[in-house]
């Protein structure tokens, strides 16, 4: 049940399929979360040093720039091939549609 919820399943659908209460679905989710949090191999540690945080942020910025460049190239190619100005979307617009939010 928890895996279905993590994959985006609706708790109302999950509890009906499994014949349990809504509360049991959420209990199973939190059991998995707590088990993951207790596993030392899965411990995520974030740097507290500001300089180290900046290095990581720069890495994400480089990744974003390279991915954005790739998608912009793909969109330019699509635009030329389709000869339709509204066909290609920008990388930011694609992210907005994927996330369902503004970038």
């Amino acid at each position: 049940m928890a895996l279905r919820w993590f994959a985006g399943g609706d708790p109302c659908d999950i509890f009906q399929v499994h014949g349990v209460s809504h509360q049991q679905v959420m209990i199973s989710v939190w059991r998995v979360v707590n088990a993951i949090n207790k596993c030392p191999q899965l411990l995520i540690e974030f740097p507290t040093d500001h300089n180290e945080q900046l290095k990581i942020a720069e890495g994400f910025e480089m990744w974003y720039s390279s991915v954005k460049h790739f998608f912009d190239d793909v969109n330019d190619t699509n635009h030329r091939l389709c000869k339709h100005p509204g066909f290609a979307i920008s990388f930011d617009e694609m992210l907005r549609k994927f996330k369902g939010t503004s970038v």
Side-chain angles (χ1 to χ4, degrees):
M1 292 184 297
L3 291 178
R4 286 190 63 190
W5 186 85
F6 288 126
D10 184 352
C12 295
D13 292 335
I14 297 169
F15 78 74
Q16 289 176 355
V17 168
H18 292 280
V20 297
S21 69
H22 184 278
Q23 184 179 8
Q24 281 303 120
V25 173
M26 299 315 296
I27 287 172
S28 73
V29 167
W30 282 105
R31 283 183 178 161
V32 171
V33 169
N34 290 332
I36 290 170
N37 286 337
K38 289 180 182 179
C39 182
Q41 292 88 348
L42 300 176
L43 180 65
I44 298 173
E45 293 184 11
F46 297 97
T48 55
D49 179 48
H50 188 66
N51 291 328
E52 186 64 28
Q53 292 171 352
L54 287 174
K55 271 194 227 174
I56 292 170
E58 287 169 1
F60 279 109
E61 188 175 358
M62 286 176 23
W63 173 84
Y64 176 80
S65 298
S66 64
V67 172
K68 181 179 183 331
H69 178 71
F70 170 76
F71 277 100
D72 287 343
D73 285 349
V74 169
N75 284 328
D76 288 344
T77 303
N78 285 342
H79 178 73
R80 283 193 300 272
L81 291 174
C82 294
K83 296 185 179 165
H84 186 279
F87 181 74
I89 62 171
S90 70
F91 181 72
D92 289 334
E93 186 178 348
M94 183 198 64
L95 279 179
R96 222 181 352 267
K97 287 183 179 185
F98 178 73
K99 291 181 180 178
T101 59
S102 317
V103 176

